[in-house]
Amino acid sequence: MNIDDPFDQPIDDALPELLQAEWGADQVMQLFDDLRDGAEVEHVQMRAAKDDRTTTLAEAKLAFADGSAQAIQVRYRFEGEMWCDTILPSEQTTKIIRTRLPQTS
């Protein structure tokens, strides 16, 4: 193994935990409140019609509520674990994809 070559390192074959669900708008609105109140939010990324930008959790919640968000990704720490929630709104339900992120040193 060559320590000078970052691609010549052992590969960790473990895949991150991935959870999926479809929720109604009221459940998604509660998720925003739960993240605000109980998690340490590290990053929020939002995609709208002609915009893909970093934003706040509060702005993402408003964009979800008014229907302008096409996708929202929230990275946060909860009970010592890092998580990433991807929120994909549609007309009937909203798909939530939750991934437990690997711990970094």
Side-chain angles (χ1 to χ4, degrees):
M1 178 170 15
N2 180 353
I3 62 171
D4 295 327
D5 183 355
F7 295 102
D8 187 26
Q9 302 293 320
I11 296 174
D12 182 5
D13 291 331
L15 295 175
E17 182 175 358
L18 180 73
L19 307 166
Q20 291 187 55
E22 292 199 22
W23 290 354
D26 58 333
Q27 291 173 293
V28 178
M29 294 299 283
Q30 184 61 53
L31 171 62
F32 282 109
D33 292 343
D34 291 345
L35 290 171
R36 178 197 65 213
D37 297 340
E40 180 183 331
V41 175
E42 295 197 357
H43 183 83
V44 181
Q45 189 74 25
M46 183 174 62
R47 179 176 298 141
K50 296 181 181 179
D51 193 20
D52 187 350
R53 64 185 172 91
T54 299
T55 189
T56 66
L57 190 63
E59 288 174 348
K61 180 180 178 181
L62 289 173
F64 174 81
D66 72 17
S68 63
Q70 294 176 337
I72 300 165
Q73 191 171 66
V74 182
R75 274 186 271 148
Y76 60 94
R77 182 174 302 281
F78 179 73
E79 295 184 351
E81 300 279 345
M82 284 298 301
W83 295 89
C84 180
D85 286 1
T86 302
I87 302 164
L88 302 166
S90 68
E91 287 191 29
Q92 300 298 324
T93 62
T94 296
K95 182 180 277 190
I96 307 293
I97 302 170
R98 178 169 288 167
T99 307
R100 184 187 336 222
L101 302 175
Q103 296 295 321
T104 58
S105 308

